[in-house]
Amino acid sequence: MTEIQEKLIEIAQRVAPGDNWKVNNVNAVQKSLTDALEAWFQIATVKPKAFRLDLAQGKLFAILPEEVEIQEPEPKKYSIYGDYTL
C-alpha cells in the first residue's frame, strides 16, 4: 500500500529588514516574496504547485508530493488454544 506525503524543500529565507528574501542558489537578494518565487522558478528543475510560508522562522518551502510505501501490520496471533507460542 502506498501513501502520498508532503516533502518540504526550503527554497528561501527572509532577510531583515522588510520583505527581502535570499533564494537558495541565487546571488542577489530579492525585494519581495513574489520576486523570490520568480527567481526560484527561473532556476528550478522541478516546478511544484504548492508552497508553504513559515512566518515564525522566515522561511519559504516548496511542497513536493512523495509516494511512500506503507508497511501493513502483521496480523495479531493469539495463543489461547495453544496453536501459537509467543
Side-chain angles (χ1 to χ4, degrees), residues 63-80:
I63 302 173
L64 298 174
E66 184 175 58
E67 194 169 308
V68 177
E69 182 142 350
I70 306 296
Q71 294 283 347
E72 291 287 332
E74 293 270 335
K76 200 167 191 178
K77 297 179 181 179
Y78 297 95
S79 64
I80 296 173

Side-chain angles (χ1 to χ4, degrees), residues 21-74:
W21 292 86
K22 172 65 179 114
V23 179
N24 296 350
N25 301 320
V26 174
N27 291 332
V29 173
Q30 305 302 312
K31 299 293 181 189
S32 70
L33 182 58
T34 306
D35 290 343
L37 285 168
E38 177 62 25
W40 187 79
F41 263 101
Q42 295 299 322
I43 64 165
T45 56
V46 177
K47 311 287 190 202
K49 296 179 181 167
F51 296 90
R52 179 166 295 148
L53 179 61
D54 185 336
L55 295 174
Q57 293 183 358
K59 295 184 179 184
L60 178 63
F61 299 92
I63 302 173
L64 298 174
E66 184 175 58
E67 194 169 308
V68 177
E69 182 142 350
I70 306 296
Q71 294 283 347
E72 291 287 332
E74 293 270 335

Side-chain angles (χ1 to χ4, degrees), residues 14 19-20 49:
R14 192 179 79 75
D19 188 31
N20 298 312
K49 296 179 181 167

